[in-house]
Amino acid sequence: MRVVARGMGACSSRLLRIVCCVACLVLVIPASATPRLLAEQKAEPGSLAIPYQKYRLENGLTLILHADHSDPLVHVNVTYHVGSSREQQGTTGFAHFFEHMMFQGSKHVGDQQHLQLIQQAGGSVNGQTGNDVTRYYQTVPANELERVLWLESDRMGFLLEAVSQKKFEIQRDTVKNERAQRIDNPPYGRIGEVMGESLYPRDHPYSWPVIGYIDDLNRVDVNDLKRFFLAWYGPNNATLTIGGDFDPAQALAWVEQYFGPIPTGPAIPRLTPRPVSLAADRHVTLQDRIQQPVLLVSIPTHALPQSDDAAALLLLGEVLGGSKNSLFYQQLVKTGLAVQASADFSCRELDCRLDLTLVPNTQRLTSLKPLAEQAARLLANFAERGVRADDLARVQGILKAEAIWRLESVAGKVDELSDGEVMQGDPQAGLAQIRQLQAVTGEQVMQAYRRHIAGKPAVWLSVIPQGALQWQVAPADYQPMPRIPVPPLHQTAPALRTVTDRFDRARMPESGPAPVLSMPTLWRRTLGGLSVLGSEQRELPAVSVIISLPGGRRTEARHEAGLANLTALMLRQGSRRLSAEQLSDELQRLGANISVSSGLYDTRIVISALQEALPKTLALAQELLQQPGFRDDDFARIKSQLLQAERQRLTEPDALADRAFNRLVYGSGSPLAEPEQGYLATLGALTLTDVKRYYRDNYHPAGGKVVVVGDIDPQAIMPHLAFLTQDSSPARPLPSLVPQAPQAKPGIYLLDLPAAVQSTLRIGRRALPYDASGPYFRAQLMNFNFGGNFNSRLNLALREEKGFTYGIGSHFSAVRDVGEFMISGDVRADATLEALQTLAQLMSDFAQQGPTAAEMDYLKSAFSRQEALAYETLDQKADFLLSLALRGNPDDYIQRQQQQLQQIDAASLQQVAAQWLDWRQQIIVIVGDAAQLEKPLAKLHLPLHRYPAAASVVAQQALAQTSSD
């Protein structure tokens, strides 16, 4: 389940920024119809307006239907207009807690059955709680729509009949684990919480975190949660949005059947905006387990969501800190004061604010104060700089591209319609907002700046390493008001709703006829020494191109770890002709993107563009590849950013665990054992000369691959790729990634992280290289029920039964030369021993017995049906083509996998489990408080090693360097 820290108000994200023609909205309100058709948007060729019908049931449920027959799937979103903003002091976290309870079964749906049925159908499902709303959503093959509606209606109408004290206690533990994993244990985790407490008064709903406070969660009982459900989870406070391949008349009938009988809930008034004002600047300091200080600045405004001022301030935020051409980037990052500087204006239902994030360059600064002073001067002097015409044009280019990519998937369209309806009562609210943004003038931006930003007080939050008070902007002069203690509620059990059906709701609907799966149609060409693989998709006027150059991190020398990544980053800093800022400006005007990254086997250039802008975008890619800028100031800035990011990673439990595990599994000298970003010592020694050498030796197309997906045919695209033939360098032999050293001996490797509230686990061993339908594929099939899905044995035992973790799972991963098996997760520190004992027993049971008959049915159903969802977007199609181009998979490998899946039996998977799930053959990495863990871990009777808090000698040297900085 997901927690969203910010709400979904009209300006709070780019969800509603859609470029389009003027929408043609037809209002139809019959005198007596059930459900009533309230509005309809017809399809408009050449427009991005989303066709839909909007209905209202007699019980108040709002229904939006969007038929899209391009792919055999449906996306269903149920959004309740309740988030943490509807809570009260002392009862924080209710909205998010209830999101968890909504997956615990209902009167006619068993425990965990909702998740199991969706996954068994090959679908995906999740929930999301924010400040203002709670969403539940799933994507499934089109033939599963009726079953999804039955599931959603059952938990809307009959959830409380299945709520028990036991379920309540388990989910309360799960939420506590989630808070520990997301907020209390990781570095920077409490930033949002502290900013909320510092900016808002205690009785303001945005003053507390969405996930709530632990003592509030401890205070409530199951009856409190039942009353919360009855108050907020009625159909009249919900919007049901369905998109995809379905018949609207049939869907409407199903919705009326399953949701219509649910009684209306209490009337719920809309909240009135509550913007806040500050009498003076507030300085707050948060000391954390970090290396890299950060300055957060929040300026509250009195602009109202959806207002003209809010639209103007959204553009202001982009101009101040939205890109490399922004004022903050130019004056803070380019000058070397900061390694990151951004600005974001956002609105939620109750307020709008401007947030600044400033990360200092610690090689130049020893305090956040100079950075804060310069940021304040830039804000104050903005009146002189003003907003220029090219600022507005650049933002419009960004918005147009984002709009098109946003509507690439059915889920994106459904979310767009749902968000607009819930927050503004208009499914096409995004269209109105983009027209509003396009009409904003520079003078309107300046007026809004003078009204809401210029000279206004702010909260200045200094996030600094423990004890390093010299870094704070100013001594803390503000403390949030104490939280008001509230006695336990423990109300009596409320009366439940009565639902009168005219059908047998206990009978689960059957799945419809399986949809016909259409695999992408492929075309192939050769281009000099490269092979080109493509697929046409005409749904959106957009194209994705991926260029793969052989090489990658396997070509790095060990003492140059991080060089491949650094070189890729440098290529993104412009060409000889274009600076990084000019390149960014060109791409934004085109509504395009070019990224360069280094993998283990190759360097990839990924190009995304609107179809009309593709030739110019490919020309820019050619310029970057053939004439990189490689400027000294860019190198110094990028290197500084990488060094500071690496210092911070050395304090992150996940990074420490992953590095130690990789080092132990793959052995010294393997690129698989070294982090992509390198170490402090290796990064510190790299020069621009090294980058130029690496580029000269490795950026050649011979033997490379090109993948093209989108609205273009091969005849049109091939001439624009001809530049790749201009390099006549021959293909060269490249090193293998087969590890030369044996893996470490099995046992426990304990990395000390004092005062950690959770233990971070990585458990596994070296395993199989990749194959499409051989031993590696069969290992994946085995793992599915053991630890490969939410309802796996691992997650059900440690999360749902024992409440030790927010989530735990296992996987096999591989490249062409080698692979690994890994169990990963975070468990409560005080439950570490019992969690490991449970894992040992689960592994032993599965290795000895294999999957049950029910688990085999679940596996075969889930794996066979998931392909219906696998080829909707350009990215998904590109991933499929990459698997053919780079991994050498045959075109029909999906069919081969399906055939093997249906033939495999439980005995075969039990043999695979016996091979890989031997507890005493695992490398067990634990990052946690060694003082509390060492003695209990001895009870496992496994070799126990105190491991350094870094995964190599080079990194240990880097730690020493960090300590001396």
Side-chain angles (χ1 to χ4, degrees), residues 697-725:
D697 293 344
N698 294 283
Y699 277 65
H700 302 291
K705 313 287 184 182
V706 180
V707 165
V708 180
V709 179
D711 187 15
I712 196 166
D713 57 43
Q715 291 75 25
I717 185 66
M718 292 302 291
H720 296 293
L721 297 174
F723 71 89
L724 293 171
T725 66

Side-chain angles (χ1 to χ4, degrees), residues 556-569:
E556 288 180 338
R558 186 183 176 194
H559 68 279
E560 293 181 331
L563 178 57
N565 178 61
L566 177 56
T567 304
L569 291 173

Side-chain angles (χ1 to χ4, degrees), residues 274 303 314 430 479 523 551 606 629 657 701 754 780 789 831 842 874 909:
R274 287 186 60 186
L314 177 62
Q479 286 291 332
W523 56 262
V606 180
Q780 288 184 305
N789 72 90
L842 289 168
L874 293 186
L909 294 185

Side-chain angles (χ1 to χ4, degrees), residues 623-704:
E623 187 173 345
L624 291 179
L625 281 172
Q626 296 180 347
Q627 303 173 30
F630 290 154
R631 296 174 178 84
D632 290 330
D633 57 343
D634 290 331
F635 176 79
R637 185 181 69 258
I638 296 299
K639 180 176 175 179
S640 177
Q641 292 171 348
L642 290 172
L643 286 168
Q644 294 191 71
E646 174 62 12
R647 288 188 180 95
Q648 181 51 42
R649 271 189 291 272
L650 294 175
T651 68
E652 295 172 357
D654 284 334
L656 292 174
D658 287 336
R659 291 185 178 191
F661 182 83
N662 290 339
R663 187 76 176 179
L664 293 164
V665 167
Y666 295 112
S668 174
S670 171
L672 292 157
E674 311 299 341
E676 174 187 359
Q677 304 85 358
Y679 300 106
L680 286 179
T682 60
L683 282 170
L686 293 177
T687 67
L688 185 56
T689 299
D690 296 325
V691 168
K692 293 177 179 179
R693 169 179 51 80
Y694 186 87
Y695 163 79
R696 184 179 62 250
D697 293 344
N698 294 283
Y699 277 65
H700 302 291

